């Protein structure tokens, strides 16, 4: 729906109870008054004790204070987002928008459709979280609505329970409509979280204007940018979440190694790699933080190989890029490249050592005050030097490193680092001058992930290198005077990786 349509017929407010989707061919819910009376009665009303605030509450409160300070006098709407349809009446697994989780501390158990409102006051903002309260068992929503009915999807917490849990005032979502319609302050909306709410707000903004182009959404863009930039520096609780995600990810890699004999015996061994890792992610966390890459043999040269439908053959290197996302929604992002037989060949080891050297060189420069791009530059010096040494470049390493050249980038086309946190590619709406061209600060968490990828049909590389793809990816926390490799405990030298594979196969 475009803005003009929205004005003509406003989109459904998040407060509206979604009508059950067409279920004529599968629903057998009786509708007789006898049944309705029967199903609506005879339910116990157990007490809902109020919990202590969860561990994320203080961190989220500090994040709210920070965004409040950046937007005085403005009403801020940060939706969690609704369910999104996968096909027909089947939804994708629900996941709250990361900015919403950052400001509320609500993670995998977020009630879909919730909206955080920061209401401007003389002193800053009052935060109120609007969520759909339980409908009660006297309603047909309870038993006849497969999308949100508690009989179908499980119990929803009351606003009082959520208020205690998150340390945040709450109200029923039904009260949100009146807030959205207020015109006493400029309203800023996180637009991409809930497209239907965005259409509705745009429709209200359009009232009294002649042209949809007059609807001013610049303030929304500024809010999205600020919410992204707020996430550059992680507090101690957030850093601990990434640390825990990395530890769970290590166990996921252990699971893969334990299953290598089965993986090698199966015609779709890559799927078994993915399944082993993803099983760990579901057991210990919410899910994987992104689609697992399980790339064996030449598939490792395909940077985002997520089809994962190939075999894992003796002699292969299998590149596994995977991360567990915790219930808090913080994720790890780790790559290890494993020789499935437990031994690198001489040429595989040569390439592996070069990638490791690039990773270590990048790690060496990390400390507060450097430019973020210095990390990449340090890795690239090694990649250029080694590929030149192996006769792959038509020029010297120095010439290739010149900004107008870049021959070595043929073998590592991607960047070395990205921020990491609630999103695998965190802080994505931040301004370039604070991200790629920005200064590294204490508390930042980012990856270091150099690689070398020699495509099987690349005539510029000697034949012995073709089909080898290697990446080593670690998650880094910037400290007061340097950096901590949060994933140093996951074997990463060639010898340690060999010992890991040989010792871990069951
Ligand atoms: N797993 C995606 C990345 O490393 O950026
Ligand atoms: Mn990464
Ligand atoms: Mn990765």
């Amino acid at each position: 729906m475009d803005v003009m349509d929205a004005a003509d017929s406003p989109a459904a407010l998040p407060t509206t109870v979604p009508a059950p989707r067409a279920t004529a061919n599968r629903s057998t819910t009786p509708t007789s008054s006898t049944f309705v009376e029967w199903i609506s009665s005879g339910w116990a009303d157990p007490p809902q004790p109020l919990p202590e605030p969860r561990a994320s509450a203080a961190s989220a409160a500090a994040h709210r204070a920070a965004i409040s300070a950046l937007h005085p006098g403005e009403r801020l709407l940060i939706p969690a987002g609704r369910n999104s349809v996968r096909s027909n009446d089947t939804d994708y697994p629900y996941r709250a928008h990361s900015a919403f989780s950052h400001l509320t501390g609500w993670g995998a158990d977020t009630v879909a459709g919730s909206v955080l409102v920061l209401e401007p006051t003389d002193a800053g903002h009052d935060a109120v979280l609007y969520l759909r309260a339980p409908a009660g068992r006297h309603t047909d929503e309870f038993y006849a609505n497969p999308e949100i009915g508690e009989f179908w999807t499980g119990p929803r917490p009351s606003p009082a329970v959520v208020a205690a849990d998150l340390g945040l005032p709450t109200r029923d979502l039904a009260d949100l409509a009146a807030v959205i319609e207020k015109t006493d302050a400029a309203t800023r909306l996180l637009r991409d979280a809930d497209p239907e709410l965005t259409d509705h707000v745009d429709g209200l903004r359009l009232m009294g204007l002649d042209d949809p182009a007059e609807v001013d959404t610049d303030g929304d863009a500024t809010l999205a940018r600020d919410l992204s930039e707020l996430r550059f520096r992680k507090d101690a609780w957030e850093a601990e979440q990434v640390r825990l995600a990395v530890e769970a990810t290590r166990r996921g890699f252990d699971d893969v190694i334990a299953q290598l004999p089965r993986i090698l015996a199966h015609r779709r061994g890559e799927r078994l790699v993915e399944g082993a890792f993803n099983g760990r992610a579901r057991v210990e966390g919410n899910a994987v933080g992104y689609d697992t890459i399980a790339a064996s043999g030449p598939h490792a040269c395909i940077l985002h190989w997520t089809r994962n439908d190939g075999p894992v053959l003796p002699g292969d290197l299998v590149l596994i890029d995977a991360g567990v996302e915790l219930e808090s929604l913080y994720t790890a992002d780790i790559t290890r490249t494993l020789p499935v037989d437990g031994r690198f060949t001489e040429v595989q080891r040569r390439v592996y050592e070069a990638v490791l050297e690039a990773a270590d060189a990048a790690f060496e420069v990390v400390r507060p005050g450097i430019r973020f791009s210095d990390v990449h530059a340090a890795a690239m010096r090694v990649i250029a030097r080694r590929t030149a040494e192996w006769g792959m470049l038509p020029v010297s390493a120095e010439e290739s490193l010149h900004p107008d050249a870049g021959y070595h980038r043929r073998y590592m086309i991607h960047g070395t680092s990205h921020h990491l946190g609630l999103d695998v590619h965190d802080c994505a709406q931040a301004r370039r001058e604070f991200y790629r061209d920005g200064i590294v600060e204490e508390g930042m968490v980012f990856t270091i992930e150099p690689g070398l990828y020699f495509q099987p049909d690349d005539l510029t590389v000697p034949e012995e290198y073709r089909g080898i793809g290697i990446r080593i990816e670690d998650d880094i926390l910037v400290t007061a005077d340097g950096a901590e490799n949060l994933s140093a405990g996951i074997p990463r030298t060639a010898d340690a990786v060999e010992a890991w594979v040989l010792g871990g196969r069951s």
Side-chain angles (χ1 to χ4, degrees), residues 290 321 333 335 449 473:
Y290 52 91
D321 184 341
D333 179 12
T335 307
E449 50 177 306
E473 179 171 23

Side-chain angles (χ1 to χ4, degrees), residues 6-82:
D8 295 344
S9 69
L13 266 176
T15 56
T16 315
V17 175
R21 293 174 211 151
T23 53
N25 289 324
R26 77 176 167 92
S27 175
T28 56
T29 310
T31 54
S32 70
S33 57
T34 304
F35 170 77
V36 170
E37 208 169 295
W38 176 241
I39 190 119
S40 301
S41 61
W43 302 105
D45 195 10
Q48 289 199 28
L50 299 183
E52 291 299 310
R54 65 176 67 184
S56 58
S59 168
H63 300 154
R64 289 194 298 275
I67 198 67
S68 167
L70 291 172
H71 290 265
E74 297 175 354
R75 178 172 297 108
L76 308 181
L77 306 180
I78 297 99
R82 310 185 202 202

Side-chain angles (χ1 to χ4, degrees), residues 53-61 63 101-102 104-107 165-166 237 328:
R54 65 176 67 184
S56 58
S59 168
H63 300 154
S101 285
H102 192 241
T104 60
W106 218 358
D165 190 6
L166 301 178
W237 181 81
S328 63

Side-chain angles (χ1 to χ4, degrees), residues 242-255:
V242 180
R243 191 188 302 279
L244 293 171
V246 167
E247 286 170 9
T249 296
R250 151 85 201 231
R251 290 186 282 276
F253 278 91
D254 288 343
D255 292 344

Side-chain angles (χ1 to χ4, degrees), residues 9-206:
S9 69
L13 266 176
T15 56
T16 315
V17 175
R21 293 174 211 151
T23 53
N25 289 324
R26 77 176 167 92
S27 175
T28 56
T29 310
T31 54
S32 70
S33 57
T34 304
F35 170 77
V36 170
E37 208 169 295
W38 176 241
I39 190 119
S40 301
S41 61
W43 302 105
D45 195 10
Q48 289 199 28
L50 299 183
E52 291 299 310
R54 65 176 67 184
S56 58
S59 168
H63 300 154
R64 289 194 298 275
I67 198 67
S68 167
L70 291 172
H71 290 265
E74 297 175 354
R75 178 172 297 108
L76 308 181
L77 306 180
I78 297 99
R82 310 185 202 202
N83 281 307
S84 49
V85 175
R86 179 175 181 269
S87 180
N88 189 26
D89 60 354
T90 307
D91 289 336
Y92 287 105
Y94 180 71
R95 185 190 186 278
H97 194 286
S98 296
F100 174 89
S101 285
H102 192 241
L103 297 184
T104 60
W106 218 358
D109 55 340
T110 298
V111 174
S114 299
V115 180
L116 175 69
V117 177
L118 296 186
E119 186 69 24
T121 66
D122 290 344
H125 288 83
D126 286 339
V128 181
L129 176 57
Y130 292 80
L131 68 141
R132 191 183 301 287
R137 286 157 173 185
H138 57 285
T139 64
D140 63 354
E141 178 200 306
F142 164 57
Y143 63 87
N145 189 322
E147 272 72 65
I148 60 169
E150 292 186 69
F151 217 121
W152 295 82
T153 62
R156 289 202 295 275
S158 72
V161 166
V162 175
D165 190 6
L166 301 178
L168 181 57
T170 55
R171 286 203 200 123
D172 191 333
L173 194 62
D175 297 337
L176 181 66
V179 176
I180 293 174
E181 284 169 17
K182 282 162 75 171
T183 53
D184 56 336
T187 294
R188 306 298 182 215
L189 167 70
L190 185 66
R191 298 179 69 79
D192 64 340
D194 186 335
E196 289 160 74
L197 178 61
T198 299
D199 281 348
H200 185 86
V201 170
D202 282 348
L204 294 171
R205 287 166 166 169
L206 185 53

